[in-house]
Amino acid sequence: MDALASLLYEVRSDGALFSRNLVAPPWSVRFADRTPLTLITMLRGTGWVVPGDAAPVALGSGDVAIVVGSQPFSVADCADVPAPPLYVLHGPDHCTTADGEEIGDELVLGLRTCGNSLDGPTVLLTGSYRVGGRVSERLLSALPRVLVVRHDGRPSPILDLTAQEIGRDDPGQQAVLDRLLDLLLLATLREWFTRPEAEAPGWYRALGDPVAGKALRLIHDEPARPWTVTALAEEAGVSRATLARRFSDLVGEPPMAYLTGWRLARAADLLARTEATAESIARQVGYRSAFGLSVAFKRVYGTRPSLHRTAARRTSSESRAGAGEGTGAGTGVGSNRAPAGKRRLPTPISHG
């Protein structure tokens, strides 16, 4: 498994908040759910991502954007003076007007669908990730606030299938949408990292190098092995000095420093997400004992593994509680039920 695959494996959707927005100008939609990663695509029409803390970014039909960071942002038809938001998305089944009032039935157009016009010229599809963890941070830190992969005219079967599935309410539908969002994210990031404007991180550029790339894959696949620069060099078929130089030049840090960072990131996530003991986790990530892991963990993160586990679980519980507010009776964006009296939407339109 290469570095990108390893990082993306930890950024997986679970209960993704999907929404389809059918709108006519003037319009804007405010995203205040504070998820760290939001995917946006214009199935039809054009718009602007307006982050507030960065320059607005134009979106054309078929373009896919990823917005990184938990700060609120808007998507609108105009970047200069955006219209007041039609609604503000706070979380699953929780949408309000700009004044904080619950949205009315006139804005709920169907399953996971809101807007001001069933026949509006603009169709906006969004999916939000509730991701966390040290491994995810290594990926998110390599991304700009807003990145865009422009539609190049080629067919996009994943996007077309997502547009079809978002309006369905079949058994297991949330799991289907979660996996589709994962595929959209992976395909978008992989495409973006290949572009000159991406300024891809060192670890991504190094993947194509026969020496540094080989060492990266070994570190990610087998962090528990007692790696040394010499051992990595032998696996890569070069001298110790060549491996150290090539790895540092491409990745931006020495092999052992990268190994330590990866081991500790994996340990941090295992502590937060599993019931495994510190001793077991230490051995899984390449430390001989829980004490050795604790020393390294405290040096890098400034806290002990046990305290990290307690804090991470407290944060997770608070996040789940917040995400659950307003669920159970909602019919708006993110809901799995269509509102009574509302007609079903026609088959979603492909982006072309």
Side-chain angles (χ1 to χ4, degrees), residues 129-229:
Y129 271 83
R130 296 186 178 278
V131 298
R134 295 290 182 173
V135 171
S136 299
E137 286 178 9
R138 293 170 74 90
L139 174 62
L140 299 184
S141 65
L143 304 177
R145 175 72 163 122
V146 182
L147 67 89
V148 179
V149 172
R150 304 293 178 189
H151 181 45
D152 58 6
R154 291 181 297 175
S156 179
I158 301 173
L159 188 56
D160 293 341
L161 181 58
T162 303
Q164 295 172 17
E165 289 288 340
I166 197 172
R168 299 180 63 176
D169 193 20
D170 298 336
Q173 193 63 24
Q174 184 62 58
V176 171
L177 293 174
D178 284 343
R179 299 294 75 78
L180 284 171
L181 185 56
D182 288 341
L183 284 172
L184 276 172
L185 177 68
L186 191 153
T188 301
L189 287 176
R190 188 170 59 181
E191 176 68 23
W192 184 76
F193 275 138
T194 65
R195 302 192 173 193
E197 67 271 21
E199 297 182 1
W203 52 260
Y204 185 83
R205 296 192 302 270
L207 290 174
D209 183 81
V211 175
K214 173 72 171 180
L216 270 173
R217 291 180 178 89
L218 289 168
I219 288 171
H220 279 254
D221 287 349
E222 303 178 81
R225 281 182 63 175
W227 291 116
T228 62
V229 176

XYZ file of all heavy atoms in Angstrom, residues 129-229:
801
model
N -17.636 15.125 5.146
C -16.957 14.076 5.889
C -16.776 14.486 7.339
O -16.320 15.598 7.611
C -15.551 13.860 5.328
C -15.448 12.856 4.213
C -15.731 13.234 2.909
C -15.071 11.551 4.466
C -15.605 12.318 1.874
C -14.942 10.638 3.440
C -15.213 11.024 2.145
O -15.091 10.123 1.135
N -17.076 13.599 8.236
C -16.728 13.798 9.641
C -15.523 12.911 9.940
O -15.644 11.813 10.460
C -17.908 13.451 10.550
C -19.103 14.362 10.334
C -20.212 14.111 11.342
N -21.314 15.033 11.135
C -21.352 16.286 11.586
N -20.349 16.748 12.291
N -22.377 17.076 11.339
N -14.340 13.404 9.558
C -13.118 12.623 9.738
C -12.295 13.221 10.857
O -12.458 14.367 11.247
C -12.280 12.589 8.450
C -13.041 11.925 7.338
C -11.861 13.990 8.040
N -11.403 12.426 11.378
C -10.513 12.903 12.427
C -9.356 11.944 12.593
O -9.298 10.901 11.953
N -8.422 12.309 13.427
C -7.299 11.429 13.672
C -6.009 11.984 13.114
O -5.997 12.839 12.232
N -4.899 11.500 13.662
C -3.589 12.001 13.265
C -3.212 11.596 11.848
O -2.557 12.351 11.131
C -2.537 11.486 14.248
C -2.701 12.007 15.664
C -2.369 13.492 15.754
N -2.479 13.976 17.124
C -2.122 15.193 17.503
N -1.643 16.042 16.621
N -2.247 15.555 18.763
N -3.630 10.399 11.415
C -3.326 9.986 10.056
C -4.056 10.882 9.065
O -3.494 11.330 8.066
C -3.696 8.507 9.838
C -3.584 8.130 8.359
C -2.791 7.603 10.680
N -5.336 11.179 9.330
C -6.097 12.069 8.459
C -5.466 13.452 8.401
O -5.446 14.094 7.348
C -7.542 12.180 8.957
O -8.178 10.932 8.937
N -4.945 13.924 9.528
C -4.321 15.238 9.559
C -3.134 15.320 8.603
O -2.876 16.372 8.015
C -3.846 15.568 10.978
C -4.973 15.918 11.941
C -4.459 16.182 13.341
O -3.218 16.251 13.517
O -5.290 16.337 14.253
N -2.425 14.227 8.433
C -1.275 14.232 7.532
C -1.713 14.471 6.090
O -0.990 15.090 5.310
C -0.506 12.906 7.643
C 0.156 12.716 9.000
C 0.697 11.310 9.144
N 1.894 11.084 8.363
C 3.124 11.285 8.791
N 3.328 11.744 10.018
N 4.164 11.025 8.028
N -2.889 13.985 5.734
C -3.423 14.251 4.398
C -3.999 15.662 4.314
O -3.690 16.416 3.385
C -4.497 13.229 4.049
C -5.244 13.478 2.737
C -4.278 13.423 1.556
C -6.363 12.459 2.553
N -4.838 16.037 5.282
C -5.498 17.337 5.227
C -4.487 18.478 5.239
O -4.710 19.504 4.589
C -6.472 17.485 6.391
C -7.624 16.467 6.458
C -8.561 16.797 7.609
C -8.380 16.410 5.151
N -3.398 18.310 5.958
C -2.403 19.374 6.040
C -1.699 19.606 4.703
O -1.051 20.641 4.501
C -1.364 19.058 7.125
O -0.618 17.900 6.781
N -1.803 18.644 3.788
C -1.168 18.783 2.479
C -2.086 19.456 1.461
O -1.668 19.682 0.319
C -0.757 17.405 1.956
N -3.314 19.790 1.866
C -4.294 20.336 0.934
C -4.526 21.819 1.181
O -4.469 22.278 2.321
C -5.625 19.586 1.073
C -5.573 18.065 0.900
C -6.958 17.473 1.146
C -5.053 17.695 -0.477
N -4.832 22.579 0.116
C -5.187 23.994 0.298
C -6.602 24.125 0.839
O -7.333 23.126 0.948
C -5.088 24.553 -1.118
C -5.436 23.388 -1.989
C -4.858 22.175 -1.294
N -6.999 25.326 1.181
C -8.354 25.561 1.693
C -9.408 25.101 0.697
O -10.383 24.456 1.061
C -8.517 27.064 1.983
C -9.924 27.475 2.419
C -10.229 27.006 3.809
N -11.369 27.710 4.381
C -12.477 27.142 4.816
N -12.602 25.819 4.775
N -13.458 27.861 5.337
N -9.222 25.426 -0.584
C -10.145 24.991 -1.635
C -9.322 24.489 -2.815
O -8.432 25.185 -3.299
C -11.064 26.135 -2.112
C -12.035 25.622 -3.182
C -11.831 26.756 -0.948
N -9.601 23.268 -3.260
C -8.973 22.761 -4.475
C -10.069 22.383 -5.452
O -11.165 21.988 -5.058
C -8.053 21.581 -4.173
C -8.668 20.271 -3.685
C -9.045 19.359 -4.851
C -7.703 19.542 -2.754
N -9.785 22.527 -6.732
C -10.780 22.257 -7.770
C -10.158 21.409 -8.871
O -9.060 21.701 -9.349
C -11.332 23.563 -8.390
C -12.347 23.240 -9.493
C -11.973 24.440 -7.332
N -10.863 20.358 -9.258
C -10.520 19.587 -10.438
C -11.550 19.935 -11.504
O -12.739 19.645 -11.351
C -10.519 18.074 -10.152
C -10.350 17.277 -11.448
C -9.397 17.724 -9.176
N -11.092 20.600 -12.566
C -11.991 21.054 -13.617
C -12.473 19.891 -14.478
O -11.727 18.954 -14.752
C -11.288 22.084 -14.507
C -10.724 23.289 -13.761
C -11.813 24.151 -13.188
N -11.274 25.292 -12.436
C -12.019 26.097 -11.696
N -13.327 25.889 -11.609
N -11.469 27.102 -11.035
N -13.731 19.999 -14.891
C -14.289 18.979 -15.781
C -13.636 19.098 -17.153
O -13.604 20.178 -17.743
C -15.801 19.178 -15.889
C -16.481 18.165 -16.757
N -16.201 16.824 -16.686
C -17.429 18.317 -17.721
C -16.960 16.173 -17.555
N -17.700 17.056 -18.203
N -13.094 18.007 -17.662
C -12.366 18.040 -18.924
C -13.151 17.437 -20.078
O -12.595 17.178 -21.151
C -11.025 17.324 -18.785
C -11.188 15.870 -18.348
O -12.340 15.384 -18.271
O -10.158 15.217 -18.062
N -14.437 17.204 -19.861
C -15.273 16.675 -20.931
C -15.371 15.170 -20.959
O -16.232 14.610 -21.646
N -14.503 14.484 -20.221
C -14.563 13.029 -20.205
C -15.725 12.552 -19.330
O -16.121 13.232 -18.395
C -13.255 12.451 -19.671
C -12.063 12.640 -20.591
C -10.812 12.014 -19.987
N -10.432 12.659 -18.733
C -9.439 12.249 -17.959
N -8.741 11.164 -18.287
N -9.148 12.899 -16.853
N -16.284 11.379 -19.615
C -17.358 10.845 -18.776
C -16.888 10.659 -17.337
O -15.707 10.385 -17.084
C -17.684 9.495 -19.427
C -17.188 9.613 -20.837
C -15.973 10.493 -20.756
N -17.810 10.818 -16.402
C -17.500 10.619 -14.984
C -18.533 9.663 -14.398
O -19.533 10.083 -13.811
C -17.524 11.954 -14.237
O -17.250 11.768 -12.862
N -18.331 8.356 -14.573
C -19.354 7.391 -14.133
C -19.621 7.420 -12.637
O -20.747 7.178 -12.212
C -18.777 6.038 -14.577
C -17.313 6.277 -14.796
C -17.195 7.694 -15.237
N -18.589 7.705 -11.824
C -18.810 7.751 -10.373
C -19.748 8.898 -10.022
O -20.689 8.744 -9.234
C -17.476 7.902 -9.616
C -16.543 6.752 -9.929
C -17.729 7.984 -8.107
C -15.146 6.923 -9.352
N -19.527 10.059 -10.632
C -20.372 11.215 -10.370
C -21.779 10.985 -10.885
O -22.764 11.329 -10.215
C -19.756 12.454 -11.021
C -20.403 13.799 -10.696
C -20.444 14.028 -9.201
C -19.640 14.926 -11.390
N -21.906 10.381 -12.057
C -23.230 10.097 -12.605
C -24.004 9.144 -11.692
O -25.202 9.335 -11.434
C -23.105 9.491 -14.000
C -22.561 10.480 -15.017
O -22.621 11.696 -14.739
O -22.076 10.042 -16.076
N -23.318 8.103 -11.192
C -23.985 7.147 -10.316
C -24.395 7.804 -9.006
O -25.480 7.544 -8.484
C -23.054 5.958 -10.052
C -23.613 4.850 -9.158
C -24.891 4.266 -9.741
C -22.564 3.757 -8.952
N -23.543 8.671 -8.458
C -23.873 9.371 -7.221
C -25.117 10.238 -7.413
O -26.010 10.279 -6.550
C -22.693 10.250 -6.764
O -21.542 9.438 -6.617
C -23.003 10.926 -5.435
N -25.189 10.940 -8.545
C -26.349 11.781 -8.830
C -27.636 10.963 -8.889
O -28.705 11.429 -8.484
C -26.138 12.524 -10.151
N -27.539 9.726 -9.358
C -28.708 8.859 -9.412
C -29.078 8.320 -8.032
O -30.255 8.236 -7.670
C -28.449 7.699 -10.365
C -28.265 8.104 -11.821
C -27.815 6.948 -12.690
O -27.930 5.783 -12.295
N -27.284 7.250 -13.870
N -28.054 7.953 -7.251
C -28.306 7.285 -5.972
C -28.785 8.228 -4.872
O -29.439 7.797 -3.929
C -27.028 6.576 -5.506
C -26.658 5.356 -6.323
C -27.595 4.177 -6.067
O -28.270 4.168 -5.011
O -27.660 3.291 -6.927
N -28.468 9.514 -4.977
C -28.780 10.416 -3.877
C -30.280 10.566 -3.657
O -30.735 10.859 -2.551
C -28.128 11.805 -4.111
C -28.102 12.595 -2.803
C -28.841 12.571 -5.203
C -27.307 13.873 -2.900
N -31.076 10.333 -4.688
C -32.518 10.460 -4.543
C -33.227 9.164 -4.199
O -34.451 9.130 -4.119
N -32.464 8.084 -3.983
C -33.076 6.787 -3.685
C -33.161 6.560 -2.178
O -32.426 7.159 -1.404
C -32.282 5.664 -4.348
C -32.224 5.786 -5.865
C -31.435 4.662 -6.501
N -32.059 3.351 -6.270
C -31.600 2.221 -6.800
N -30.513 2.248 -7.563
N -32.207 1.078 -6.554
N -34.057 5.672 -1.780
C -34.279 5.387 -0.363
C -34.377 3.885 -0.140
O -35.239 3.402 0.581
C -35.565 6.088 0.107
C -35.705 6.096 1.627
O -34.671 5.918 2.300
O -36.825 6.267 2.128
N -33.481 3.145 -0.781
C -33.485 1.692 -0.689
C -32.751 1.225 0.562
O -31.993 1.990 1.170
C -32.824 1.085 -1.928
C -33.573 1.422 -3.199
O -34.780 1.703 -3.107
O -32.947 1.414 -4.285
N -32.960 -0.039 0.980
C -32.205 -0.566 2.126
C -30.700 -0.448 1.893
O -30.210 -0.712 0.797
C -32.644 -2.038 2.178
C -34.001 -2.054 1.559
C -33.954 -1.008 0.473
N -29.990 -0.042 2.922
C -28.550 0.111 2.823
C -28.097 1.332 2.048
O -26.922 1.430 1.680
N -29.005 2.276 1.832
C -28.674 3.414 0.979
C -27.553 4.269 1.547
O -26.708 4.772 0.802
C -29.912 4.285 0.760
C -29.765 5.309 -0.350
C -29.555 4.646 -1.706
O -29.936 3.506 -1.915
N -28.913 5.367 -2.616
N -27.515 4.451 2.883
C -26.456 5.272 3.467
C -25.083 4.665 3.216
O -24.122 5.370 2.915
C -26.678 5.461 4.961
C -25.665 6.386 5.634
C -25.716 7.802 5.080
O -26.753 8.449 5.114
N -24.591 8.293 4.570
N -24.993 3.345 3.309
C -23.712 2.688 3.044
C -23.295 2.877 1.586
O -22.111 3.076 1.286
C -23.805 1.195 3.379
N -24.256 2.824 0.674
C -23.950 3.052 -0.742
C -23.421 4.461 -0.953
O -22.410 4.677 -1.629
C -25.210 2.819 -1.608
C -24.964 3.264 -3.048
C -25.617 1.351 -1.581
N -24.096 5.443 -0.351
C -23.656 6.826 -0.501
C -22.290 7.063 0.134
O -21.465 7.808 -0.397
C -24.696 7.768 0.120
C -26.059 7.819 -0.596
C -27.041 8.656 0.194
C -25.904 8.355 -2.010
N -22.040 6.436 1.276
C -20.728 6.565 1.917
C -19.617 6.086 0.994
O -18.592 6.739 0.830
C -20.684 5.766 3.220
C -21.428 6.441 4.356
O -21.699 7.652 4.255
O -21.734 5.759 5.351
N -19.809 4.941 0.385
C -18.758 4.396 -0.477
C -18.601 5.225 -1.752
O -17.492 5.377 -2.267
C -19.081 2.939 -0.835
C -19.163 1.985 0.358
C -17.829 1.788 1.064
N -17.400 2.890 1.892
C -17.876 3.156 3.117
N -18.810 2.375 3.644
N -17.421 4.174 3.819
N -19.704 5.750 -2.280
C -19.605 6.599 -3.458
C -18.844 7.885 -3.145
O -18.042 8.370 -3.952
C -21.005 6.929 -3.993
C -21.702 5.798 -4.758
C -23.152 6.166 -5.049
C -20.960 5.488 -6.059
N -19.091 8.435 -1.963
C -18.360 9.636 -1.566
C -16.877 9.334 -1.411
O -16.016 10.143 -1.790
C -18.938 10.206 -0.273
C -18.359 11.539 0.205
C -18.471 12.609 -0.874
C -19.070 12.010 1.478
N -16.558 8.168 -0.862
C -15.156 7.760 -0.766
C -14.501 7.707 -2.150
O -13.383 8.178 -2.351
C -15.044 6.376 -0.105
C -15.353 6.404 1.377
O -15.303 7.491 1.968
O -15.666 5.342 1.932
N -15.203 7.109 -3.112
C -14.654 6.995 -4.465
C -14.472 8.366 -5.107
O -13.465 8.627 -5.777
C -15.582 6.133 -5.326
C -15.521 4.623 -5.088
C -16.629 3.922 -5.857
C -14.170 4.070 -5.521
N -15.458 9.252 -4.915
C -15.340 10.600 -5.463
C -14.143 11.333 -4.873
O -13.389 12.008 -5.589
C -16.629 11.384 -5.182
C -17.786 11.190 -6.155
C -19.047 11.886 -5.612
C -17.434 11.737 -7.529
N -13.968 11.201 -3.567
C -12.848 11.872 -2.909
C -11.521 11.332 -3.410
O -10.604 12.096 -3.762
C -12.949 11.704 -1.397
C -11.789 12.315 -0.597
C -11.818 13.829 -0.684
C -11.826 11.855 0.853
N -11.392 10.014 -3.454
C -10.139 9.404 -3.877
C -9.807 9.795 -5.311
O -8.666 10.184 -5.625
C -10.233 7.880 -3.744
C -8.930 7.098 -3.893
C -9.031 5.786 -3.116
C -8.621 6.788 -5.346
N -10.801 9.703 -6.210
C -10.564 10.031 -7.614
C -10.194 11.504 -7.779
O -9.315 11.846 -8.584
C -11.807 9.708 -8.444
N -10.841 12.374 -7.009
C -10.557 13.807 -7.118
C -9.155 14.126 -6.620
O -8.399 14.864 -7.267
C -11.596 14.610 -6.323
O -12.913 14.331 -6.829
C -11.333 16.106 -6.438
N -8.784 13.586 -5.465
C -7.455 13.858 -4.925
C -6.358 13.292 -5.816
O -5.333 13.938 -6.055
C -7.334 13.279 -3.515
C -8.094 14.014 -2.409
C -7.945 13.269 -1.090
C -7.600 15.448 -2.269
N -6.570 12.093 -6.319
C -5.556 11.482 -7.177
C -5.351 12.316 -8.437
O -4.219 12.528 -8.881
C -5.973 10.055 -7.535
C -4.906 9.270 -8.263
C -5.287 7.810 -8.381
N -6.542 7.626 -9.103
C -7.098 6.442 -9.329
N -6.521 5.355 -8.835
N -8.225 6.330 -9.992
N -6.446 12.802 -9.020
C -6.344 13.643 -10.204
C -5.685 14.976 -9.877
O -4.833 15.471 -10.619
C -7.745 13.877 -10.788
C -7.798 14.822 -11.976
C -7.123 14.251 -13.212
O -7.001 13.007 -13.310
O -6.705 15.056 -14.075
N -6.046 15.574 -8.741
C -5.518 16.891 -8.389
C -4.021 16.844 -8.112
O -3.276 17.729 -8.519
C -6.265 17.444 -7.177
C -5.842 18.832 -6.805
C -6.175 20.007 -7.426
C -4.972 19.198 -5.727
N -5.579 21.068 -6.796
C -4.838 20.605 -5.756
C -4.318 18.473 -4.734
C -4.064 21.284 -4.825
C -3.541 19.144 -3.819
C -3.413 20.548 -3.867
N -3.582 15.799 -7.427
C -2.160 15.700 -7.086
C -1.269 15.602 -8.320
O -0.073 15.894 -8.253
C -1.903 14.488 -6.187
C -2.120 14.753 -4.727
C -2.772 13.818 -3.930
C -1.669 15.916 -4.136
C -2.971 14.055 -2.573
C -1.869 16.163 -2.789
C -2.519 15.233 -2.001
N -1.809 15.184 -9.454
C -1.000 15.071 -10.663
C -0.862 16.395 -11.393
O -0.083 16.484 -12.356
C -1.621 14.045 -11.638
O -2.896 14.522 -12.098
C -1.787 12.686 -10.969
N -1.574 17.430 -10.978
C -1.588 18.690 -11.709
C -0.507 19.642 -11.192
O -0.210 19.660 -9.987
C -2.966 19.333 -11.611
C -4.047 18.395 -12.153
C -5.366 19.042 -12.357
N -6.287 18.123 -13.019
C -7.443 18.488 -13.543
N -7.828 19.746 -13.470
N -8.222 17.594 -14.134
N 0.072 20.432 -12.096
C 1.166 21.327 -11.689
C 0.791 22.288 -10.583
O 1.606 22.579 -9.702
C 1.494 22.071 -12.995
C 1.006 21.188 -14.090
C -0.197 20.491 -13.542
N -0.444 22.794 -10.614
C -0.848 23.778 -9.604
C -1.059 23.173 -8.231
O -1.253 23.870 -7.237
C -2.140 24.486 -10.041
C -3.392 23.613 -10.085
C -3.607 22.914 -11.414
O -2.625 22.766 -12.175
O -4.753 22.512 -11.693
N -1.023 21.837 -8.149
C -1.329 21.173 -6.880
C -0.252 21.381 -5.835
O -0.528 21.354 -4.642
C -1.541 19.677 -7.098
N 1.009 21.557 -6.242
C 2.111 21.616 -5.300
C 2.024 20.422 -4.347
O 1.924 20.558 -3.129
C 2.101 22.937 -4.518
C 2.304 24.162 -5.398
C 2.349 25.450 -4.599
O 2.234 25.384 -3.355
O 2.512 26.519 -5.211
N 2.041 19.250 -4.931
C 1.863 18.009 -4.177
C 2.910 17.887 -3.075
O 4.060 18.315 -3.242
C 1.955 16.810 -5.114
N 2.544 17.300 -1.930
C 3.504 17.143 -0.831
C 4.640 16.214 -1.224
O 4.527 15.411 -2.162
C 2.639 16.550 0.294
C 1.505 15.884 -0.409
C 1.223 16.734 -1.612
N 5.743 16.320 -0.480
C 6.919 15.538 -0.795
C 6.665 14.048 -0.835
O 7.169 13.349 -1.719
N 5.882 13.539 0.128
C 5.656 12.105 0.154
C 4.929 11.622 -1.095
O 5.127 10.484 -1.532
C 4.904 11.680 1.413
C 3.622 12.415 1.707
C 3.455 13.429 2.588
C 2.333 12.180 1.123
N 2.136 13.858 2.594
C 1.435 13.105 1.707
C 1.854 11.280 0.178
C 0.085 13.156 1.371
C 0.510 11.331 -0.173
C -0.361 12.256 0.424
N 4.078 12.479 -1.699
C 3.389 12.070 -2.918
C 4.352 12.067 -4.104
O 4.367 11.135 -4.911
C 2.212 12.999 -3.205
C 1.390 12.544 -4.391
C 0.405 11.582 -4.240
C 1.637 13.044 -5.666
C -0.329 11.139 -5.330
C 0.905 12.606 -6.757
C -0.082 11.657 -6.582
O -0.802 11.208 -7.670
N 5.163 13.115 -4.209
C 6.132 13.172 -5.302
C 7.121 12.013 -5.213
O 7.580 11.489 -6.231
C 6.883 14.499 -5.275
C 6.001 15.711 -5.515
C 6.841 16.943 -5.777
N 7.757 17.240 -4.686
C 7.456 18.014 -3.644
N 6.241 18.560 -3.557
N 8.340 18.250 -2.697
N 7.443 11.612 -3.994
C 8.422 10.544 -3.800
C 7.897 9.178 -4.220
O 8.689 8.254 -4.459
C 8.866 10.496 -2.335
N 6.586 9.023 -4.320
C 6.029 7.716 -4.650
C 6.503 7.211 -6.013
O 6.623 6.016 -6.232
C 4.493 7.773 -4.623
C 3.860 7.930 -3.250
C 2.357 8.113 -3.374
C 4.173 6.714 -2.376
N 6.773 8.147 -6.931
C 7.221 7.737 -8.253
C 8.709 7.466 -8.348
O 9.190 7.051 -9.412
N 9.437 7.656 -7.270
C 10.877 7.422 -7.273
C 11.158 5.972 -6.879
O 10.629 5.487 -5.868
C 11.561 8.375 -6.296
C 13.074 8.217 -6.313
O 13.704 8.774 -7.221
O 13.597 7.527 -5.413
N 11.994 5.264 -7.638
C 12.224 3.842 -7.329
C 12.919 3.605 -6.000
O 12.787 2.508 -5.424
C 13.099 3.367 -8.496
C 13.725 4.606 -9.055
C 12.725 5.691 -8.847
N 13.616 4.600 -5.486
C 14.312 4.427 -4.212
C 13.460 4.923 -3.050
O 13.093 4.161 -2.148
C 15.670 5.164 -4.234
C 16.337 5.091 -2.865
C 16.588 4.563 -5.295
N 13.139 6.214 -3.048
C 12.342 6.775 -1.953
C 10.936 6.171 -1.918
O 10.382 5.932 -0.840
C 12.267 8.291 -2.095
N 10.352 5.926 -3.102
C 9.019 5.331 -3.145
C 8.977 3.949 -2.532
O 8.047 3.585 -1.825
N 10.020 3.153 -2.804
C 10.110 1.815 -2.218
C 10.183 1.898 -0.699
O 9.491 1.152 0.015
C 11.356 1.119 -2.768
C 11.693 -0.220 -2.133
C 10.725 -1.300 -2.557
C 11.207 -2.669 -2.094
N 10.277 -3.746 -2.484
N 10.997 2.815 -0.183
C 11.127 2.965 1.269
C 9.815 3.434 1.895
O 9.424 2.945 2.961
C 12.245 3.957 1.587
N 9.135 4.359 1.241
C 7.846 4.838 1.762
C 6.837 3.701 1.873
O 6.135 3.570 2.880
C 7.295 5.929 0.848
C 7.686 7.366 1.145
C 7.181 8.284 0.047
C 7.130 7.820 2.491
N 6.765 2.884 0.846
C 5.806 1.774 0.866
C 6.132 0.786 1.983
O 5.232 0.268 2.658
C 5.787 1.080 -0.490
C 5.171 1.928 -1.594
C 5.164 1.188 -2.945
N 4.522 1.992 -3.972
C 5.151 2.872 -4.735
N 6.466 3.071 -4.578
N 4.497 3.569 -5.646
N 7.403 0.527 2.177
C 7.791 -0.388 3.248
C 7.413 0.175 4.618
O 6.920 -0.550 5.491
C 9.300 -0.646 3.180
C 9.779 -1.496 1.999
C 11.298 -1.433 1.885
C 9.303 -2.941 2.156
N 7.652 1.454 4.824
C 7.314 2.093 6.101
C 5.812 2.030 6.353
O 5.370 1.716 7.464
C 7.821 3.550 6.117
C 9.351 3.574 6.239
C 7.175 4.340 7.249
C 9.959 4.951 6.052
N 5.027 2.322 5.328
C 3.570 2.329 5.502
C 3.002 0.922 5.647
O 2.062 0.714 6.411
C 2.905 3.048 4.322
C 2.925 4.537 4.452
N 1.815 5.280 4.773
C 3.933 5.429 4.328
C 2.129 6.560 4.830
N 3.412 6.675 4.560
N 3.569 -0.033 4.919
C 3.045 -1.388 4.970
C 3.457 -2.130 6.238
O 2.689 -2.940 6.772
C 3.531 -2.190 3.760
C 2.841 -1.761 2.477
O 1.854 -1.009 2.554
O 3.304 -2.168 1.392
N 4.668 -1.865 6.723
C 5.204 -2.635 7.842
C 5.862 -1.734 8.887
O 7.075 -1.823 9.133
C 6.222 -3.656 7.329
C 5.685 -4.616 6.286
C 6.748 -5.572 5.784
O 7.022 -6.584 6.475
O 7.324 -5.295 4.714
N 5.103 -0.880 9.541
C 5.711 0.021 10.525
C 6.304 -0.699 11.724
O 7.166 -0.150 12.408
C 4.537 0.925 10.935
C 3.315 0.105 10.655
C 3.640 -0.684 9.433
N 5.848 -1.924 11.981
C 6.342 -2.650 13.156
C 7.729 -3.251 12.952
O 8.380 -3.649 13.929
C 5.350 -3.758 13.532
N 8.193 -3.329 11.728
C 9.525 -3.891 11.515
C 10.591 -2.977 12.108
O 10.459 -1.747 12.105
C 9.786 -4.099 10.019
C 9.128 -5.348 9.469
C 9.454 -5.556 8.000
N 10.877 -5.766 7.741
C 11.378 -6.062 6.542
N 10.564 -6.201 5.500
N 12.680 -6.220 6.379
N 11.677 -3.544 12.613
C 12.740 -2.728 13.234
C 13.598 -2.046 12.174
O 14.776 -2.385 11.974
C 13.526 -3.765 14.046
C 13.346 -5.049 13.298
C 11.944 -4.999 12.753
N 12.993 -1.082 11.516
C 13.675 -0.446 10.392
C 14.870 0.396 10.837
O 14.831 1.059 11.861
C 12.711 0.454 9.632
C 11.643 -0.254 8.874
C 10.298 -0.192 9.096
C 11.813 -1.147 7.767
N 9.623 -0.981 8.214
C 10.525 -1.583 7.381
C 12.927 -1.622 7.085
C 10.331 -2.466 6.325
C 12.729 -2.513 6.029
C 11.446 -2.912 5.661
N 15.895 0.363 10.006
C 17.019 1.297 10.089
C 17.237 1.829 8.677
O 16.694 1.271 7.703
C 18.303 0.615 10.572
O 18.665 -0.408 9.616
C 18.111 -0.020 11.951
N 18.015 2.880 8.554
C 18.314 3.389 7.214
C 19.002 2.298 6.395
O 18.733 2.116 5.202
C 19.185 4.658 7.295
C 19.579 5.121 5.891
C 18.433 5.768 8.013
